[in-house]
């Protein structure tokens, strides 16, 4: 069973997985990796959750409020040992549910175009996300793509 709980992105138990996440993204996206570090994930307009299987950190995700009706999925990641076990889907469903509960009309995300992003893109599309243009402060590039979900 997966336990998803609100957490502190600067907590020691998050550090290694967050560092892995940022390093992997920067290795394929360079200057176009917009994932937030612990400081960014601790901002007042961001809610951060961790997913646990027993005592093992299985992943994390965050929801950033862009405005009163628009949220953004941020820094969603399953731990390498938990990939393919439904952690990503559970986290995404959790974020979507929280976005709906907050009254958002739309939930968007920015992700990469590299091969490593393809499993996540398939997950987002299965959840109903569709391609859209850049939102918030993002700029279009060959390294990123944008998806949105009407809630």
């Amino acid at each position: 069973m997966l336990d998803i709980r609100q957490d502190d992105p600067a907590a020691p138990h998050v550090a290694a997985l967050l560092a892995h996440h940022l390093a992997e993204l920067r290795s394929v996206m360079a200057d176009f990796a917009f994932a937030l570090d612990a400081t960014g994930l601790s901002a007042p307009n961001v809610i951060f959750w961790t997913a646990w299987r027993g005592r093992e950190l299985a992943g994390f995700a965050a929801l950033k409020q862009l405005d009163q009706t628009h949220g953004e999925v941020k820094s969603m990641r399953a731990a390498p040992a938990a990939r393919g076990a439904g952690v990503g889907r559970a986290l995404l469903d959790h974020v979507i549910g929280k976005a709906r509960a907050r009254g958002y009309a739309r939930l968007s995300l920015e992700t990469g175009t590299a091969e490593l992003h393809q499993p996540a893109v398939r997950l987002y599309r299965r959840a109903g996300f569709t391609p859209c243009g850049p939102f918030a402060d993002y700029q279009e590039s060959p390294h990123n793509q944008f998806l949105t979900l009407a809630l």
Side-chain angles (χ1 to χ4, degrees), residues 79-148:
R83 287 189 181 158
V87 172
R89 184 59 199 227
L91 282 165
L92 184 59
D93 288 347
H94 185 82
V95 172
I96 291 169
K98 294 297 184 179
R100 284 189 172 119
R102 293 179 74 112
Y104 295 161
R106 185 164 62 125
L107 184 61
S108 301
L109 62 91
E110 177 273 339
T111 191
T113 57
E115 184 60 34
L116 109 96
H117 295 98
Q118 295 317 302
V121 170
R122 286 190 295 275
L123 172 67
Y124 300 139
R125 291 194 179 217
R126 280 194 306 270
F129 283 80
T130 58
C132 66
F135 58 92
D137 296 330
Y138 291 111
Q139 300 295 316
E140 198 164 2
S141 85
H143 303 283
N144 58 14
Q145 59 185 308
F146 307 94
L147 301 169
T148 196

Side-chain angles (χ1 to χ4, degrees), residues 29-112:
M29 296 178 73
D31 295 334
F32 296 95
F34 300 110
L36 299 176
D37 61 11
T39 301
L41 291 168
S42 297
N45 64 334
V46 177
I47 304 170
F48 180 82
W49 296 277
T50 50
W52 297 84
R53 288 230 160 125
R55 300 176 82 181
E56 295 292 320
L57 178 62
F60 58 73
L63 173 62
K64 180 178 182 181
Q65 181 173 339
L66 299 175
D67 63 38
Q68 294 299 318
T69 63
H70 191 187
E72 178 183 5
V73 178
K74 289 300 295 182
S75 299
M76 202 170 90
R77 170 60 71 144
R83 287 189 181 158
V87 172
R89 184 59 199 227
L91 282 165
L92 184 59
D93 288 347
H94 185 82
V95 172
I96 291 169
K98 294 297 184 179
R100 284 189 172 119
R102 293 179 74 112
Y104 295 161
R106 185 164 62 125
L107 184 61
S108 301
L109 62 91
E110 177 273 339
T111 191

